[in-house]
Amino acid sequence: MCRPRGALRAAALLGLLLLLAGCSGGAVGGEARDPGKPAGGEDPVGEMSVREMVGQMFVVSLGGTRSDYYIEKMVRERNVGGVLLFGYNMRSLPQVRRLTGELQRLSMATEPAVPLLVAVDQEGGEVQSAPWVSPQPSAAEIGASGDPEAARRVARRIGSELLEAGVNTDLAPVVDTGFGAAIGSRSYGENPELVSRMGSAAVEGFREAGVISAAKHFPNHGPATSDSHTGLPIVDHDMDTVLSRDLPPFAAAVRAGVPMVMVGHLLYPAIDQENPASMSPQAIRLLRERLGFDGVVITDDLAMAGARQGGSVARAAVRAVSAGADMLIVSSPPPQQAEAYDALVRAVRSGGIPERQVRASVRRIVEMKEDYNLYARH
């Protein structure tokens, strides 16, 4: 911050400094800092501790419409990377704006000062819980129109209205092919070429609005006959079908520049006979290597039965990161969120999960936050 001086000589010097660097934080004799980048060094991730890095990998829920002790502790003491808002957290535009503002100020006042992802599931149709966002048609309705521009317009409209309340991330679009269990009208259709066109247009619309998007649910929840909220769906497609039907919409989203891909809690034996995609090294390797995705891999909610499989959320968190996931959604009660965080810290410190892998994941997360100007907004 620039301060006035009393002495004439000091004032003249200050004037020169202001001329060279301005009051915006630029360095004298160097380039001014890009407001969309973090302050304090070229590589803030390189300076993070294990605890700080692990925290960035978590997107957690909170209990009500106001900031409380538990979420503030997760931000202040565990450096969580994001929060997920459900319908019960959101009453109105002013209330959500206050909530997101409080949480962002807390995060930016806490070292290492990284802005939060503030995420919702706002897809249109039956999945839209932000009360200030204008109702939008379902993906199935948009897909039936055959017009990708409609998908782009809807995504851009949703994203722009979400940003009014400080919500910077939408866990959409659904690029699953088919109307199976838990998907229904959330899918654009049963033709992977149609879904590819619609999904990539939606990704572009969210980007135009300045909102982070996530293509979901890799490798494809559309053909599942059961719901991963309540169990572990099994999709018995052979690899030819996986490559020709399930993956093309995700490949199209990757080509469109989607910043995140959500891996689902469903078992594809052709990919991995033992692990759901969210905890499968083979599935995540397929996403990285076959589809060329170099962005953030985020899991579906680890509170879901398909993730826990009768075990703990902490165990699911360690399995997912071991498989290569970058971010974890955890909407479980606060004690389980803390247990998952502690378990992951232990796994990294013990060498069970390489620290270099975690650092690479967090670098992807921070770069995504930079790319979408989250630092500049806060």
Side-chain angles (χ1 to χ4, degrees):
M1 181 177 180
C2 299
R3 295 184 175 85
R5 309 290 185 185
L8 181 61
R9 185 171 179 174
L13 177 60
L14 179 63
L16 179 61
L17 291 173
L18 293 178
L19 196 61
L20 291 173
C23 290
S24 62
V28 176
E31 295 182 359
R33 181 176 70 84
D34 182 342
K37 304 291 183 181
E42 291 298 319
D43 181 19
V45 180
E47 302 171 359
M48 287 186 190
S49 68
V50 168
R51 287 181 58 85
E52 289 168 341
M53 289 192 298
V54 167
Q56 277 298 298
M57 302 176 82
F58 279 81
V59 177
V60 299
S61 61
L62 58 153
T65 57
R66 303 180 64 179
S67 179
D68 59 29
Y69 168 81
Y70 298 104
I71 190 61
E72 290 176 5
K73 187 171 183 177
M74 292 298 288
V75 173
R76 189 173 52 247
E77 297 184 11
R78 297 184 174 91
N79 190 41
V80 292
V83 295
L84 175 60
L85 304 182
F86 291 97
Y88 58 79
N89 300 123
M90 299 182 287
R91 288 182 180 168
S92 67
L93 173 59
Q95 171 262 320
V96 176
R97 185 182 286 153
R98 284 193 300 271
L99 173 61
T100 61
E102 289 172 4
L103 293 174
Q104 291 289 11
R105 284 190 293 274
L106 178 61
S107 189
M108 295 306 291
T110 304
E111 290 297 330
V114 182
L116 296 164
L117 295 186
V118 180
V120 295
D121 285 291
Q122 189 78 13
E123 301 170 6
E126 62 188 277
V127 182
Q128 44 189 339
S129 55
W132 71 95
V133 176
S134 55
Q136 298 298 326
S138 69
E141 294 176 76
I142 298 170
S145 75
D147 181 11
E149 185 57 31
R152 184 199 305 268
R153 284 196 305 270
V154 167
R156 186 169 56 232
R157 178 74 176 270
I158 290 174
S160 298
E161 294 184 8
L162 287 175
L163 275 183
E164 293 177 11
V167 176
N168 55 39
T169 303
D170 194 355
L171 300 176
V174 171
V175 294
D176 299 320
T177 300
F179 303 119
I183 301 301
S185 65
R186 300 167 67 195
S187 170
Y188 289 110
E190 295 185 305
N191 183 326
E193 294 181 3
L194 171 69
V195 177
S196 296
R197 293 195 301 272
M198 296 296 172
S200 57
V203 167
E204 292 166 0
F206 283 120
R207 185 176 62 246
E208 290 165 4
V211 164
I212 294 168
S213 61
K216 61 186 185 184
H217 309 79
F218 185 87
N220 183 15
H221 208 302
T225 57
S226 61
D227 185 345
S228 52
H229 287 86
T230 57
L232 180 62
I234 300 174
V235 179
D236 280 319
H237 285 178
D238 59 28
M239 187 54 72
D240 286 343
T241 304
V242 171
L243 297 177
S244 64
R245 179 175 176 80
D246 299 314
L247 298 191
F250 291 93
V254 170
R255 291 193 298 271
V258 72
M260 289 199 297
V261 172
M262 179 186 290
V263 285
H265 309 313
L266 61 164
L267 185 69
Y268 268 70
I271 299 173
D272 186 328
Q273 294 185 354
E274 298 181 358
N275 302 298
S278 53
M279 297 165 199
S280 167
Q282 293 94 318
I284 294 177
R285 193 178 306 121
L286 187 66
L287 174 59
R288 293 285 191 206
E289 297 177 3
R290 182 90 184 200
L291 274 60
F293 181 62
D294 60 3
V296 174
V297 174
I298 187 168
T299 69
D300 207 343
D301 194 345
L302 296 184
M304 295 163 61
R308 292 183 289 104
Q309 299 175 65
S312 68
V313 172
R315 176 175 175 269
V318 172
R319 289 181 65 199
V321 174
S322 297
D326 299 312
M327 294 196 89
L328 313 169
I329 296 176
V330 183
S331 73
S332 304
Q336 294 182 29
Q337 295 175 5
E339 288 168 8
Y341 168 87
D342 292 341
L344 197 50
V345 168
R346 288 194 300 271
V348 177
R349 285 180 171 168
S350 70
I353 295 175
E355 183 176 328
R356 67 180 180 279
Q357 174 191 331
V358 171
R359 201 170 296 277
S361 288
V362 176
R363 188 164 283 116
R364 281 189 283 266
I365 294 164
V366 170
E367 287 175 353
M368 179 178 68
K369 292 179 177 183
E370 294 172 7
D371 290 345
Y372 280 79
N373 294 316
L374 268 60
Y375 284 89
R377 297 174 192 170
H378 306 291

